Each structure stands twice: as structure tokens, then as C-alpha cells.
Amino acid sequence: MDKVSHHDRIPAEQKPNGLARLSLSRVLIDTYHENVAYMHRDNPVYRAEGFKALSKVAVRIDGRSILATLNVVEDNSIVTCAKLGLSKSAFTQLGAIEGDTVTVSQAEPPESIGALHRKLAGERLGLDEFTAIVQDIAEHRYSKIEMTAFVVATHRNELDREEVYFLTQAMVTAGSRLDWHENLVVDKHCIGGIPGNRTSMLVVPIVAAHGMLCPKTSSRAITSPAGTADTMEVLANVELPVERLNSIVREHRACLAWGGTAHLSPADDVLISVERPLSLDSPGQMVASILSKKVAAGSTHLVLDIPIGPSAKVRSMQEAQRLRRLFEYVAHRMKLSLDVVITDGRQPIGWGIGPVLEARDVMRVLENDPRAPMDLRQKALRLAGRLIEADPDVRGGDGFAIARDILDSGRALSKMNDIIQAQGSKGFDHNHPQLGALSFEVRAPASGVVSGFDNFQLARIARFAGAPMVKNAGVDLQFKLGDKVDEGEVLYRVYASFSADLEFARQASLRSSGVSLGRAEDVPHVFVEF
């Protein structure tokens, strides 16, 4: 630990209004959607103002301001006594440059904190109260602890359907809203929980090649080894300024981008930073998160995929229908046309689990490669067909055949390549994907039929291996439900880039491989709507 020299004990200047002035320093720490300020314990401002660690401070410069959580340090290499440090995201958000003079003061408590306390007590909140809470979250007025309290309160005290609508509306209000000035703007979304389910990356180029407007903005993974944005990032840039996103969509009728940089439902991106480590994804929060993003992105028509299976997020048809009704109620209130499809969630879709492996599968389907996973192809075609049937010039029932023709003819591949080039190609070669240098195999302990997959466990193994943060980590499956397997055959391979990640994944696979072997009659049946 560095000692503080007498030279570093520079008294802070004072503004006429009494606010302390400090020179600004950029601290290269990624705090993931949380604004953090760093102040040395021996800084005279820290002592004079009575700041406490983890308290909220207001940092201002030239009429701009941000709120940040204060971290107190004792190491000059992080920040000296004469300076105030800001984390990477906070520094960018303030729009300052290194060495600027800023003022720092105690932050006022969020006005909505009373509403939060009422929700913690199990009370029902109205639109104005949700709007106040969400606005404070979007403006980083809540600490991580307060956000966690809100997430847990809305998870434990399940929101009624009108509260879910209020939360959705509040999330839309807190951010930007795109208007494409077209009567039909389509999108497709899945509630998640099924590894490898990258149908959006196929549906978007298919419907765009048909001529439909499909500005696809996606979140990063919350509890899964990859989200659409994580996988698309293997192929192209996904963090696009809203002006660039608008230009790409106008020219190519589609995009596949991360929604965060477009400032669409920004409170949701902040809440996800809390939901991810807690692995929480309650129905009310799920509906508000998904529909707020779609409405903010300017969508008029959405096809929603709800997979059902023994280890999916939704386990029974009764639960699926209850969730469908909640989505339909909120979508109707938001004036969004919604087509809910209940699909097969018994097993992962495609062969790969993890960004690079899933990108490989997507490109193989687009290129009509014989190695392409047929389940991914068929599901994407059916979902694309449902969207195409929103076109008033298409007869009901004709969508699948139109989607198949677009894929088989190569028009979908051409459209995807246009989107990749427009967003900034990463030069990904799906024929020679660069997977993690470390790997191990999980083999069948006996002969039999693949009778079940534990989606949660396989996703967990892929996450232990490093996905989605490590793009080339993940699980590569070799079999599907109902396939015959001989003793000793490889069920799947796990790839990682770091030995610690590989060992975590190995230990997880030893506790449970996530693959069950049995008889053909043991394969679970599921009712779907395709």
C-alpha cells in the first residue's frame, strides 16, 4: 500500500457556493452499469464533507451531472488526494476529459425511495410510483443494494398484471423511443432458457429479405451462456450509436444490435446487472423487460417464443398459458400486436452452446451447409413464417414456404452478409471457428438412448467454461433426444480459454452431465403449437 506524501495533501479549492472542486481522473475499472467514484481517504474533501464509503455523491461539470457510488481508497496508484476518480462507465457518461475540474457533493436520496419501501412491504404500486422508481434507476440514483431490493421485492411479491403494465410503461418512458414511420415493424423474441436457441439471427435476415422492416435490438445474456447480442458480436459490432443503427435499418431493412447504446429502456439494462448475478427472471420483470424494449424500438408486431419442457423456464402448458395471457394483456395495453408461439423446449437448439459455437451453427444454416443443425433451421423457418404472415399481402399458412424459399435460395445469407458488413464485420470463419484452446470430453457411461437434457445444467457448464464473456468457450453437443449412444461415445465437448474455467466446468459436469440415457419410451413428450 502506497504511503501518502506531504506533496499529495493538496487542499481542495472551494467554489463560491461551497461545493468542493477536484481534478478528475479516469479509473480503468469496469463496474458494469454502475457509476462508481473513487476518493482517497486522506483527501481533505472526504474528511470535510463527511462522506462515507458506498454513499451516493453528485459529480458536476458545466451543467452536466451524474450520481455515483463512492469507494474510498488508500492507494495512490488508484487515485491521489487531489483528485476524484470515476469508473469507465461513469467517466463516459459525464462526458468529461482527464484533468477537468468537477464539483462533488452529497447526493440527495432518491425521491422514490418511499415507494420502494412500500413495495418491500408487499403493497401494490401505481403508475406514478413505478415511473418514479424506474426513472431514478435509469438515472443511477439507486445503489446496487437498493436496486437489488427492488428486484427481489417484485420477484417475491409477484406483480399483478396491471402492475406489470405500469412497470413496462415506466421503462419505456425512461428512455428513447424509435419511430420508423412505417405501419408494419416486426420483431421476434424468445423468453430464453433454451441453450443455443439463436433463431433470431436467422429470422431477421429472412424477413428482411422478404422486405419487412425488422430492427432487432437484443439484450446480452442474463442467466444464459449467450444472448443474441453476445453471439452476433462474434460476427459484427453490436454496440451501435442510434444514428448508425437508424442508417443501417433504413438501408438494409434490419439490424442485429445490442439495445443498450440506443438508450432503449435504459433502466432494464441497469436492472439486468442485478438480475444476472442473482439468476432472477420473474414473470413480471420478464414481461416488462421484453415488451418495453420492443415498444421502445418501434415494433408494431412481435412473434414471441415460449419454449416448454422439463428443464425450460416454463415447465407445463398451464404455466405457459398463464404467461401467454400476461404477455397478451400488457401488449394490448401497449398497442403492440402479439403472436405467442409455444415451442419445444425439451433440449438445446442446435449443436453449440456459447457465442462462437452458436455463431457457427447460424452461419451453417444460412449457407445450407449439410452440417447445419436441422432443429435450428426448422424452428427459425416456422417463426419467420409466422412473422411473414403479418404482411397483409401474404395468405395465412403461406409464411413457412416463403421463408424456406428465401433461405434455400441464398437470399437470407446475402441479407445477413449485408447486415454484418454494415455493422462492421469481425471476419468470423465458421468453417474454422477459433474455439478455446483448452477442452475436455464428456462420454456416455453406458449404452442407451438419449432420453433427456437438463438445459439448466448444460447452460451452467458452458457458463463455468467462460461463456458468454469468453466468446470461444462453451459446450458442443454430439447427440439429440432419441439418438442411440454406445458406451464411451462422446456426448459433448467443453471448450475454455482459461484453466480455472475449464476445471470449474469439469467439476460441474462430474456432478451432473446434463444428459440422461435410457430407453426410447423414456423420451419426454411435449405439446407445442407449431
Side-chain angles (χ1 to χ4, degrees):
M1 187 118 7
D2 291 347
K3 291 184 178 180
V4 181
S5 69
H6 176 75
H7 178 75
D8 287 323
R9 297 181 184 273
I10 302 173
E13 299 177 43
Q14 295 293 318
K15 265 193 167 183
N17 61 9
L19 293 178
R21 301 178 68 190
L22 291 169
S23 177
L24 190 63
S25 175
R26 185 167 182 253
V27 179
L28 298 179
I29 297 178
D30 183 358
T31 52
Y32 193 72
H33 292 299
E34 182 178 19
N35 290 344
V36 177
Y38 302 90
M39 187 177 287
H40 201 287
R41 187 177 297 280
D42 288 332
N43 189 312
V45 173
Y46 171 72
R47 297 172 182 274
E49 298 291 331
F51 290 132
K52 294 284 190 292
L54 300 185
S55 63
K56 281 283 185 179
V57 296
V59 183
R60 298 179 177 87
I61 180 174
D62 297 333
R64 305 186 305 276
S65 66
I66 62 165
L67 297 176
T69 301
L70 181 65
N71 282 10
V72 180
V73 304
E74 298 180 356
D75 188 341
N76 271 7
S77 65
I78 298 174
V79 65
T80 65
C81 287
K83 292 181 178 291
L84 178 76
L86 285 181
S87 60
K88 289 170 63 177
S89 59
F91 194 92
T92 301
Q93 192 180 133
L94 185 60
I97 60 174
E98 189 84 23
D100 273 351
T101 299
V102 296
T103 64
V104 57
S105 62
Q106 299 274 10
E108 293 293 325
E111 291 187 10
S112 66
I113 207 72
L116 171 61
H117 289 160
R118 289 193 291 279
K119 194 65 212 172
L120 285 167
E123 293 184 26
R124 185 179 183 279
L125 301 183
L127 176 59
D128 289 345
E129 291 167 307
F130 275 110
T131 300
I133 290 173
V134 170
Q135 191 66 42
D136 281 338
I137 290 172
E139 293 177 359
H140 297 273
R141 294 184 179 276
Y142 273 31
S143 66
K144 274 284 178 70
I145 294 171
E146 289 162 339
M147 285 192 293
T148 302
F150 177 70
V151 167
V152 172
T154 54
H155 177 79
R156 185 189 63 191
N157 305 318
E158 191 165 326
L159 306 175
D160 65 37
R161 66 178 193 171
E162 195 168 29
E163 282 186 297
V164 177
Y165 162 66
F166 292 155
L167 178 58
T168 307
Q169 184 65 60
M171 285 183 166
V172 174
T173 301
S176 302
R177 188 166 179 175
L178 305 179
D179 186 353
W180 301 101
H181 303 288
E182 294 199 18
N183 293 328
L184 185 62
V185 181
V186 301
D187 202 348
K188 169 266 158 192
H189 195 90
C190 177
I191 68 166
I194 307 300
N197 194 20
R198 291 284 75 80
T199 52
S200 291
M201 293 176 65
L202 297 166
V203 171
V204 170
I206 290 172
V207 300
H210 179 67
M212 305 177 95
L213 193 73
C214 188
K216 178 66 177 171
T217 57
S218 303
S219 298
R220 296 188 183 277
I222 300 176
T223 58
S224 71
T228 297
D230 301 301
T231 303
M232 184 64 185
E233 197 168 37
V234 172
L235 306 177
N237 298 323
V238 297
E239 297 192 4
L240 305 172
V242 67
E243 297 82 8
R244 182 68 186 137
L245 184 147
N246 182 72
S247 173
I248 291 170
V249 173
R250 291 294 180 199
E251 182 176 357
H252 301 288
R253 307 293 291 170
C255 68
L256 281 153
W258 177 55
T261 49
H263 201 65
L264 306 175
S265 189
D268 184 52
D269 294 313
V270 179
L271 287 172
I272 284 172
S273 70
V274 172
E275 293 167 354
R276 176 182 284 148
L278 292 174
S279 294
L280 288 181
D281 201 7
S282 67
Q285 290 163 348
M286 179 198 303
V287 171
S289 172
I290 292 171
L291 295 187
S292 67
K293 287 282 179 69
K294 301 310 168 189
V295 171
S299 299
T300 63
H301 191 287
L302 173 66
V303 166
L304 182 73
D305 174 13
I306 300 181
I308 179 174
S311 60
K313 283 185 179 179
V314 177
R315 307 291 175 90
S316 68
M317 183 58 75
Q318 182 181 15
E319 187 183 350
Q321 295 292 1
R322 186 165 58 247
L323 185 60
R324 176 212 286 262
R325 288 192 293 272
L326 180 57
F327 267 109
E328 288 175 340
Y329 172 81
V330 177
H332 177 73
R333 294 287 299 270
M334 302 296 293
K335 296 181 172 52
L336 175 67
S337 178
L338 179 66
D339 182 9
V340 177
V341 185
I342 297 173
T343 62
D344 183 354
R346 295 173 298 168
Q347 62 182 333
I349 303 295
W351 298 114
I353 304 172
V356 164
L357 289 163
E358 294 175 25
R360 175 202 66 188
D361 286 354
V362 166
M363 294 309 297
R364 284 179 176 175
V365 171
L366 286 168
E367 292 196 349
N368 296 299
D369 190 307
R371 298 168 295 176
M374 286 303 296
D375 57 346
L376 178 61
R377 172 189 161 93
Q378 290 301 106
K379 184 172 183 178
L381 286 175
R382 292 185 182 278
L383 291 169
R386 295 287 280 257
L387 268 185
I388 287 171
E389 287 171 15
D391 182 345
D393 295 329
V394 174
R395 290 187 305 175
D398 287 353
F400 180 86
I402 294 171
R404 184 179 57 198
D405 177 66
I406 291 171
L407 181 60
D408 289 348
S409 67
R411 287 155 59 202
L413 173 62
S414 177
K415 178 60 68 175
M416 184 61 154
N417 285 335
D418 288 344
I419 294 170
I420 289 171
Q421 291 302 319
Q423 292 186 197
S425 175
K426 298 287 187 71
F428 177 72
D429 181 1
H430 71 275
N431 288 310
H432 302 94
Q434 296 298 308
L435 298 172
L438 308 175
S439 66
F440 67 87
E441 296 174 339
V442 173
R443 296 178 177 271
S447 298
V449 169
V450 177
S451 58
F453 284 96
D454 184 336
N455 287 312
F456 178 79
Q457 179 63 4
L458 287 168
R460 194 163 177 260
I461 291 168
R463 285 177 65 87
F464 276 136
M469 302 304 288
V470 180
K471 292 285 192 288
N472 58 8
V475 172
D476 200 9
L477 298 170
Q478 305 298 307
F479 292 96
K480 290 290 183 180
L481 279 176
D483 288 348
K484 292 182 179 180
V485 181
D486 292 329
E487 181 180 353
E489 278 197 276
V490 176
L491 296 173
Y492 58 82
R493 293 182 179 89
V494 178
Y495 293 92
S497 289
F498 302 98
S499 56
D501 291 346
L502 190 77
E503 190 56 30
F504 280 134
R506 191 196 309 275
Q507 292 303 317
S509 69
L510 290 174
R511 288 191 291 273
S512 172
S513 70
V515 182
S516 301
L517 301 177
R519 301 166 301 172
E521 52 267 34
D522 297 328
V523 176
H525 297 283
V526 67
F527 298 100
V528 297
E529 296 195 341
F530 278 149

